[in-house]
Amino acid sequence: DAKTTQPNSMESNEEEPVHLPCNHSTISGTDYIHWYRQLPSQGPEYVIHGLTSNVNNRMASLAIAEDRKSSTLILHRATLRDAAVYYCILRASGAGSYQLTFGKGTKLSVIP
Amino acid sequence: DAGVTQSPTHLIKTRGQHVTLRCSPISGHKSVSWYQQVLGQGPQFIFQYYEKEERGRGNFPDRFSARQFPNYSSELNVNALLLGDSALYLCASSLFQYQETQYFGPGTRLLVL
């Protein structure tokens, strides 16, 4: 899987939007962009994924740059429960895509 | 519905010993993957099993082995434990081998003294 680059840490005030960036300049045409997060003392949990178009679900939105070399995970209103490590992962579709290759992620702190 | 469950939650072993970790996937899920997470790092892929066969292996020594049972539960075995094997071991399940989303359990924290 191709490599991603994320800031080590970010801070946000509670109830404000958070934009978590991810650079993936070597992304290939068939790589999906996945986001997982890991709350303290828990296993990772799926957040959202996309290929080319922006995606929304109940947890977050994913904005993908037109050239697909970067993406941004958007939490519309940060809560204390959103404090976690967020991982941006590129995952090829089809055969060989069974594993997730995690980096160090971005540790998000939410300030009350 | 119950999520992915793992046992035990915590384990302390000494160097040279053997350990067996267990994972029960979400009901109906046929694929189980194992990951090792060392403190301060992201999880690293160890194995994937699908339909009781090994379908993928990460860069881990032969001391690590796993198997999947007919009910799709899985065991991860580690022989000749080293201090560096101290980590959180995570199990993830998915419906099929190449399903987009993996669902993780809470992990087993192993400490090797």
Side-chain angles (χ1 to χ4, degrees):
Chain A
D1 290 328
K3 188 173 179 178
T4 62
T5 304
Q6 299 178 254
N8 291 332
S9 62
M10 291 183 64
E11 273 188 358
S12 174
N13 293 319
E14 194 177 11
E15 298 188 6
E16 291 191 354
V18 182
H19 290 233
L20 297 163
C22 180
N23 288 321
H24 28 78
S25 59
T26 58
I27 191 170
S28 74
T30 57
D31 286 341
Y32 282 80
I33 302 160
H34 287 246
W35 285 82
Y36 281 73
R37 72 179 185 181
Q38 189 170 19
L39 302 171
S41 302
Q42 295 189 27
E45 67 173 340
Y46 168 81
V47 178
I48 200 168
H49 78 279
L51 183 61
T52 56
S53 303
N54 293 346
V55 184
N56 301 295
N57 65 21
R58 64 175 180 82
M59 290 180 70
S61 296
L62 176 60
I64 301 172
E66 195 168 336
D67 63 6
R68 302 213 320 128
K69 295 188 176 188
S70 65
S71 60
T72 302
L73 179 70
I74 302 166
L75 307 179
H76 295 287
R77 247 173 114 248
T79 68
L80 295 178
R81 195 195 174 276
D82 291 322
V85 178
Y86 287 78
Y87 297 98
C88 171
I89 299 166
L90 300 185
R91 194 174 189 197
S93 61
S97 66
Y98 44 78
Q99 70 183 81
L100 295 172
T101 302
F102 290 83
K104 290 190 176 182
T106 296
K107 183 175 182 179
L108 176 65
S109 300
V110 179
I111 303 167
Chain B
D1 286 340
V4 177
T5 59
Q6 294 186 243
S7 63
T9 55
H10 295 81
L11 201 54
I12 300 175
K13 293 285 189 178
T14 56
R15 281 178 299 175
Q17 285 189 310
H18 163 90
V19 69
T20 298
L21 310 180
R22 295 177 175 82
C23 171
S24 291
I26 291 171
S27 177
H29 283 195
K30 299 180 179 181
S31 174
V32 169
S33 296
W34 288 94
Y35 292 79
Q36 179 197 65
Q37 186 174 25
V38 175
L39 200 61
Q41 305 291 321
Q44 300 298 306
F45 173 74
I46 309 175
F47 287 111
Q48 188 205 25
Y49 276 77
Y50 178 69
E51 292 286 13
K52 301 179 285 296
E53 291 187 6
E54 182 183 307
R55 300 301 179 112
R57 183 183 183 117
N59 188 25
F60 280 81
D62 291 344
R63 299 185 296 109
F64 289 77
S65 64
R67 55 179 176 168
Q68 187 177 34
F69 299 100
N71 67 354
Y72 302 109
S73 67
S74 178
E75 283 183 354
L76 175 69
N77 296 284
V78 187
N79 293 323
L81 285 167
L82 303 174
L83 297 180
D85 295 331
S86 296
L88 179 69
Y89 288 86
L90 295 158
C91 172
S93 78
S94 58
L95 193 58
F96 301 115
Q97 181 176 356
Y98 302 125
Q99 188 190 17
E100 294 298 328
T101 302
Q102 292 193 15
Y103 299 85
F104 285 81
T108 293
R109 187 160 297 280
L110 171 65
L111 177 61
V112 182
L113 301 176

